[in-house]
Amino acid sequence: MTTGPRLSDILRLLEPDGAFAYAVAESPDREGVIAGANRTACSLLGYSPDEILSLSPADIVPDLNELAGTGPFETGDATVGHSLTTRNGDILPVEIRSHVLRIDDRELNIVSFRDNSRRSRSLLWEEQGQRCLRTLKRLSRAFDESEQALLEYVLRESLDMTGSSLGYIYFLNPGETEMTLKAWINDHSPKGVETTPPPHCGPREAGFWGAAMKQRSPVISNCCEATPGSPFSIDRHLCLPIIDNGRIVLIAGVANKKEDYTEADLAHLSLPIEGVWLIIQRKRMEAELVDAIKNAERASRAKSQFLANMSHELRTPLNGIMGMTQLLMGTEVNNEQKEYLTLSMEAAQHLSKVMTSLLDLTAIESGAVTITPVNFSLPDTLESIIKPLALQAAHKSLTLVHELHHEVPALINGDEKKLRQIIINLIYNAIKFTEEGEVALTVTRTATTSGLLGDMAELRFTVTDTGIGIPEDKLESIFERFVLGEDYLTKRYGGTGLGLSISRELANAMGGDISVRSTPGRGSTFTLTLPFLLRDAKGGSCTITDPTGGPSRPLNILVAEDEQVNALVTSGILKKRGHSVTVVGNGQHAIDALMRNPFDLVLMDVQMPVINGLEVTEIIRRGAAENVPRDIPIVGLTAYATDADRKLCLDAGMNFVVTKPFEAGELLASINRCTAA
C-alpha cells in the first residue's frame, strides 16, 4: 500500500537549506533525539548522518527552550535570527523557520535553517519548499472535498511549485490496461481552443503520457522530441507512477518548465500526488464501508422481517394444533388415544421451544436484546418456575428441590422474564440429563454494593444435578451456538445446542455470567450470577398477584381472531371455563361489536385484516370508539415473539400479551391477572 510523505523526502525538498526534525512530544532538551536531518544540515554542522541522529535539538540550537516557549516550536512564514553550534563548537549564524507536521503518525517539528551568506541563492527554493509544506497541510484537512476537486487542486499546486505550464493525472484500471484522464491543465492553450490528451487510452497508445507506466518509475526528460500530429508542444517532461500493492494506480506528470527538471522538482510533484492518493483511497474505503454497513443493515432488517413472518406463519397453525390437542384431551378419550394426544402435545411444545430459541438467537446477533427491569418477588417467581418443572422431574422419578438462603432479599428489581428463561433452561437441562437422583436449585447472596440507583445485591443461582456429567474438554464448548454435549449421530437427549449459548448471552447482557463444573458420571453444577437492585417492603413497589386465582363470575369476552382454527381453539378453552364468547374476524368488526354490546374483556389478535389489533387498541385507548370504555382490559394474542413485538403491543395500550402457541393455562392466567389488576 502507498505510504504517506516520508520524513527523508520532506527534509530533502528543503535543500539547499539545512533541516532537521524532532518529535513535538519530546522535551527540547538533552533527553530527546533528532529524528532526521538532510545533507546540508550535516555539512554545515560538521556531523555525519549517524552522529547527528544521536544528538538532542538542544545540542544544536542553544537556548531552544526560550526560543520554542511552552508549546510546539512554529514560526509560520517568518524567520527567526539565531545561531547554531557546530561539531567543533563554532557558532554558526542562521535564520530559522519551523513547522509542525504529522508524519507516520507522529507530530514532528521540521526546523529549517540557512546560513545568512546563502540567502540570495535560496529564495526560490524556499518558496517552493514552503508551498509544498502548505499544500500537504491543506491536503491533510481537505477530506470533505470531492475527489475531482482534490485532484485539480494538487495538479495546480504541482505546476506552480515546479514552474510548469502543463500537467495531467491519469487513473489506471486494476489490470493496468486502460488509462483514464482525471485532471488536466494547460496554461498555454490557444484562446477559445480546448485541447486535451486522450481521455481513454491503453499503455501502447499513451505515448509520452504513459512513459512512467512503461518504466514503472519516475521519468525526467529535458529534451523531448516533437510528436507528429500532436496538438501539444512538449519541450521538457516529468512524470511519475503511484504504485499501490504492486500495481500502478495513477500516472501524474508536468511539462514545459523553462529550465531543466531536477530531483527537487520530482520531490515537489511526488509528495502532493502521494498525499492526495492516500486521501482518495481513504475516502473510497470509507464510502465502501458505509455501503457495506447499509447493506448489512438492510440484510439484517430483511432477515428479522423474514423470521418474524416465518414465526407468525409457523406459530399460528401450531397454536391451532396445540389448542385442538388440548381440547381433545379434555374430552372422553381412552388411554391409547390419551397417550397419542400427549405425545402430539409434547412434540408441538418442543417445536415451539425451537422456534423461540431461533428468535432469541436472532435478537442476540442483531444486538436487539433489551433489558426490562421490573420489581418482583423472587420467592414467588421461583415458586412459579419450580411447580411445572417438578412435574417433569416426577415423571422421571427425580426429586426437584430449591432453597433460598436467609440472606437472599425477597423483593428485587431486574429483568424477571429473562431470569425466568435462564433458570428454566438450566433446570430443564438438568432434568433431561439426569436419570436418577435429584436436581437442586440453591440461591445465595454473594455481595452487596451501593450505586446511583440504590443498593444492589449479587445473587448466585446454583443448579446441581446427579446426571451424566460433561467431559472436561467440552465444558466451554457447550456454551457455543449449535454445539451439543454428545455426538449427533448417537445422541440420546436431543436439543438444538442453543439453550446454554442463549442463556449465557442473556446473563452477560444483564451484567452477570454462567459457569459450570462437572464430573462425568457424577453430575454437573451450573452457577448463574446476576446483580439486582434491592426493593424493601416499605417502598411498596412490588405487587404480586396470584395467577391461579380467577374471576369470581363468568365473563363476557370478545375474541378478535381472523384465523378460524385459532378462534375455535380460544373460544373452546374459554367456554369450558364458563365464559361467554363472541368471535369476530377483523379489527373493524371488533370495534363494531364493542360499540353495540358491553364486554368484560377483549382477546385481541395483533395481525388482522382491515384494521390490525394494535390500531384497534389505540382507537379504544384514545376514546375514539363510542360507548367503549377506554380502560377495558385487552389481552394481546400474537405469533410475533420478540421483546420488540411485545413492547409494541404494550405501548399500544394492551394490558398483557400472550404469545402463540399458548397453552390453556397460560391464556387463563393472563385473563385472571388482567381482571385482578
Side-chain angles (χ1 to χ4, degrees):
M1 180 168 177
T2 303
T3 59
R6 294 173 299 176
L7 176 59
S8 59
D9 290 331
I10 292 175
L11 295 174
R12 177 164 55 87
L13 71 86
L14 292 173
E15 300 273 4
D17 287 347
F20 63 90
Y22 64 93
V24 171
E26 293 176 352
S27 175
D29 56 22
R30 299 191 62 89
E31 294 180 2
V33 293
I34 292 174
N38 62 12
R39 287 182 295 181
T40 301
C42 294
S43 175
L44 289 174
L45 297 172
Y47 291 103
S48 69
D50 292 335
E51 289 175 334
I52 203 167
L53 294 181
S54 66
L55 303 176
S56 79
D59 291 328
I60 298 174
V61 186
D63 302 320
L64 180 57
N65 279 326
E66 297 179 8
L67 188 65
T70 58
F73 182 27
E74 284 197 280
T75 64
D77 292 333
T79 59
V80 176
H82 203 63
S83 60
L84 303 182
T85 303
T86 68
R87 190 174 187 276
N88 296 327
D90 297 332
I91 301 299
L92 179 67
V94 294
E95 290 182 346
I96 293 178
R97 178 176 281 129
S98 179
H99 291 276
V100 175
L101 286 180
R102 187 169 186 84
I103 303 171
D104 295 331
D105 294 327
R106 294 189 302 167
E107 295 284 339
L108 295 177
N109 261 116
I110 309 297
V111 180
S112 61
F113 59 93
R114 177 181 306 147
D115 184 343
N116 283 336
S117 61
R118 300 186 178 185
R119 187 179 188 87
S120 59
R121 292 188 302 166
S122 57
L123 288 176
L124 179 61
W125 288 98
E126 174 190 3
E127 173 60 27
Q128 291 176 334
Q130 296 306 319
R131 183 161 187 166
C132 188
L133 291 175
R134 289 196 299 270
T135 300
L136 293 174
K137 191 170 184 178
R138 179 178 170 183
L139 276 178
S140 67
R141 300 174 180 175
F143 185 75
D144 292 334
E145 295 188 23
S146 69
E147 185 174 305
Q148 188 62 38
L150 288 171
L151 291 172
E152 291 175 355
Y153 166 71
V154 164
L155 188 57
R156 167 49 64 191
E157 291 296 304
S158 298
L159 260 64
D160 292 346
M161 285 187 290
T162 59
S164 304
S165 61
L166 181 150
Y168 61 90
I169 298 176
Y170 275 98
F171 276 17
L172 276 75
N173 66 345
E176 299 184 18
T177 58
E178 185 177 10
M179 299 167 57
T180 301
L181 185 65
K182 289 293 184 179
W184 162 256
I185 296 176
N186 184 3
D187 292 334
H188 293 163
S189 59
K191 217 172 188 181
V193 179
E194 184 59 34
T195 55
T196 63
H200 301 280
C201 61
R204 293 183 179 178
E205 301 83 34
F208 63 84
W209 308 110
M213 181 180 175
K214 298 172 185 176
Q215 298 189 20
R216 305 186 75 82
S217 62
V219 175
I220 297 177
S221 300
N222 287 316
C223 186
C224 297
E225 297 181 1
T227 303
S230 173
F232 308 103
S233 174
I234 305 297
D235 302 322
R236 298 176 181 85
H237 180 221
L238 165 64
C239 63
L240 62 89
I242 299 298
I243 300 177
D244 188 351
N245 287 331
R247 76 174 185 87
I248 299 176
V249 293
L250 69 85
I251 298 289
V254 292
N256 291 345
K257 180 182 178 181
K258 293 181 179 180
E259 300 173 358
D260 286 352
Y261 287 108
T262 66
E263 291 291 330
D265 294 314
L266 178 59
H268 289 139
L269 176 63
S270 64
L271 288 172
I273 295 298
E274 287 181 356
V276 78
W277 172 247
L278 280 176
I279 294 176
I280 289 173
Q281 187 182 46
R282 181 181 167 190
K283 286 168 66 73
R284 291 179 176 181
M285 289 173 63
E286 292 201 359
E288 291 173 0
L289 180 60
V290 169
D291 289 342
I293 291 173
K294 290 181 179 179
N295 290 335
E297 290 173 346
R298 281 195 295 267
S300 179
R301 287 194 297 268
K303 175 185 174 183
S304 298
Q305 186 62 50
F306 170 77
L307 287 172
N309 291 336
M310 287 303 297
S311 171
H312 183 273
E313 294 304 316
L314 291 172
R315 286 175 180 273
T316 299
L318 185 58
N319 188 60
I321 294 171
M322 291 178 64
M324 287 298 184
T325 303
Q326 292 175 84
L327 290 176
L328 277 174
M329 292 175 71
T331 63
E332 294 184 7
V333 293
N334 59 38
N335 290 336
E336 183 179 8
Q337 291 170 331
K338 186 174 182 180
E339 180 183 0
Y340 294 158
L341 291 172
T342 300
L343 292 173
S344 174
M345 190 66 183
E346 290 176 354
Q349 290 171 337
H350 177 71
L351 181 57
S352 177
K353 290 177 182 177
V354 170
M355 289 190 297
T356 299
S357 294
L358 290 173
L359 287 175
D360 287 340
L361 177 63
T362 302
I364 289 169
E365 286 181 337
S366 62
V369 175
T370 55
I371 304 303
T372 308
V374 296
N375 299 322
F376 66 98
S377 166
L378 181 60
D380 289 351
T381 295
L382 294 181
E383 190 71 27
S384 67
I385 292 173
I386 293 296
K387 278 185 177 179
L389 291 173
L391 295 176
Q392 294 186 27
H395 286 314
K396 297 184 68 175
S397 300
L398 301 174
T399 302
L400 175 58
V401 297
H402 76 286
E403 177 186 8
L404 273 75
H405 284 206
H406 65 87
E407 75 275 8
V408 175
L411 302 181
I412 57 177
N413 178 279
D415 196 321
E416 190 261 357
K417 180 182 176 183
K418 289 183 174 59
L419 172 65
R420 179 184 295 271
Q421 181 178 349
I422 297 171
I423 296 295
I424 288 175
N425 183 70
L426 294 179
I427 296 178
Y428 176 81
N429 281 348
I431 294 172
K432 181 169 69 171
F433 292 104
T434 301
E435 299 299 333
E436 59 181 0
E438 72 170 21
V439 175
L441 168 65
T442 304
V443 186
T444 58
R445 180 172 176 171
T446 61
T448 301
T449 57
S450 296
L452 293 175
L453 300 178
D455 292 338
M456 298 193 70
E458 182 181 79
L459 302 185
R460 178 179 295 161
F461 302 82
T462 304
V463 178
T464 306
D465 65 61
T466 56
I468 61 173
I470 305 167
E472 185 176 356
D473 61 344
K474 292 188 177 180
L475 287 178
E476 280 303 315
S477 64
I478 59 171
F479 290 103
E480 297 176 8
R481 296 170 187 172
F482 307 108
V483 173
L484 299 172
E486 54 181 340
D487 187 272
Y488 77 100
L489 291 176
T490 58
K491 67 178 183 177
R492 298 168 52 196
Y493 300 99
T496 60
L498 287 174
L500 285 175
S501 171
I502 291 172
S503 294
R504 175 175 269 186
E505 296 270 10
L506 294 178
N508 293 159
M510 296 166 67
D513 198 9
I514 299 177
S515 60
V516 60
R517 292 181 290 106
S518 185
T519 303
R522 299 184 61 180
S524 304
T525 299
F526 285 83
T527 302
L528 165 68
T529 55
L530 288 173
F532 294 94
L533 279 170
L534 299 180
R535 291 292 180 261
D536 56 34
K538 295 180 181 178
S541 57
C542 186
T543 302
I544 306 297
T545 59
D546 183 4
T548 61
S552 58
R553 62 180 176 82
L555 300 177
N556 187 18
I557 299 176
L558 175 66
V559 176
E561 171 64 75
D562 64 312
E563 290 285 342
Q564 185 176 2
V565 174
N566 286 319
L568 181 61
V569 167
T570 304
S571 61
I573 292 173
L574 297 175
K575 288 176 180 178
K576 274 182 172 288
R577 300 309 189 275
H579 301 301
S580 298
V581 180
T582 300
V583 178
V584 294
N586 64 54
Q588 183 60 57
H589 290 167
I591 294 174
D592 295 341
L594 287 166
M595 293 173 65
R596 286 195 304 266
N597 302 300
F599 289 92
D600 299 306
L601 181 138
V602 182
L603 294 181
M604 186 80 69
D605 185 30
V606 171
Q607 187 180 56
M608 292 188 296
V610 186
I611 305 177
N612 64 53
L614 298 176
E615 294 171 334
V616 174
T617 302
E618 290 171 347
I619 290 171
I620 294 172
R621 297 306 187 219
R622 290 199 309 267
E626 188 176 355
N627 298 325
V628 181
R630 297 174 63 173
D631 59 350
I632 185 172
I634 301 175
V635 177
L637 305 177
T638 179
Y640 298 109
T642 66
D643 287 342
D645 297 323
R646 178 182 177 84
K647 186 176 184 300
L648 280 176
C649 297
L650 297 176
D651 289 346
M654 294 180 178
N655 299 86
F656 290 92
V657 181
V658 177
T659 301
K660 302 175 185 178
F662 52 77
E663 297 186 28
E666 183 182 1
L667 177 64
L668 295 172
S670 68
I671 293 174
N672 295 344
R673 292 192 186 98
C674 198
T675 54

